[in-house]
Amino acid sequence: MALETVPAEYYLVLSAAVFCAGLFGILTRRNALMFLISVELLLNAANINLVVFAFYWGNVTGQVFVLFTMALAAAEVAIGIGIILVLHRNFDDVDVTDAATLKW
């Protein structure tokens, strides 16, 4: 019995759905933490595409880019959590519309 692989189109549809969910979260949420999670969804959708195309073309370039994207996402989370903590400390809320500027 031969092992069949899942067609690349299924992964691309999954990636498009994850990207749309992240874009919807960015456009509709006011909570800074949900905004950060939505950005992570966008990056994960890009990672899915990179891995699928790397597998489709038979090289590892896409997987190397995924490693760099994951490092970028980790740095983005660290900076984002710092900003969220400053928002919470200064405004007692993490609503991004309350803080027009981050003044002392």
Side-chain angles (χ1 to χ4, degrees):
M1 185 163 87
L3 182 66
E4 296 184 24
T5 61
V6 178
E9 291 85 11
Y10 292 167
Y11 291 111
L12 295 178
V13 169
L14 172 69
S15 175
V18 171
F19 188 85
C20 287
L23 188 62
F24 179 76
I26 285 177
L27 294 176
T28 59
R29 301 292 180 182
R30 297 187 327 180
N31 188 340
L33 191 58
M34 293 304 293
F35 191 83
L36 188 64
I37 291 171
S38 297
V39 170
E40 290 296 321
L41 284 175
L42 293 176
L43 288 172
N44 284 331
N47 285 343
I48 292 171
N49 276 336
L50 288 169
V51 169
V52 167
F53 284 121
F55 179 74
Y56 183 76
W57 292 107
N59 60 13
V60 296
T61 306
Q63 294 175 3
V64 171
F65 277 120
V66 166
L67 291 175
F68 286 117
T69 307
M70 290 172 73
L72 175 76
E76 178 250 335
V77 165
I79 298 296
I81 293 293
I83 292 171
I84 289 172
L85 288 174
V86 168
L87 275 174
H88 184 64
R89 184 175 4 141
N90 290 341
F91 298 102
D92 292 327
D93 195 13
V94 289
D95 189 2
V96 293
T97 58
D98 287 345
T101 60
L102 286 176
K103 19 183 188 176
W104 297 101

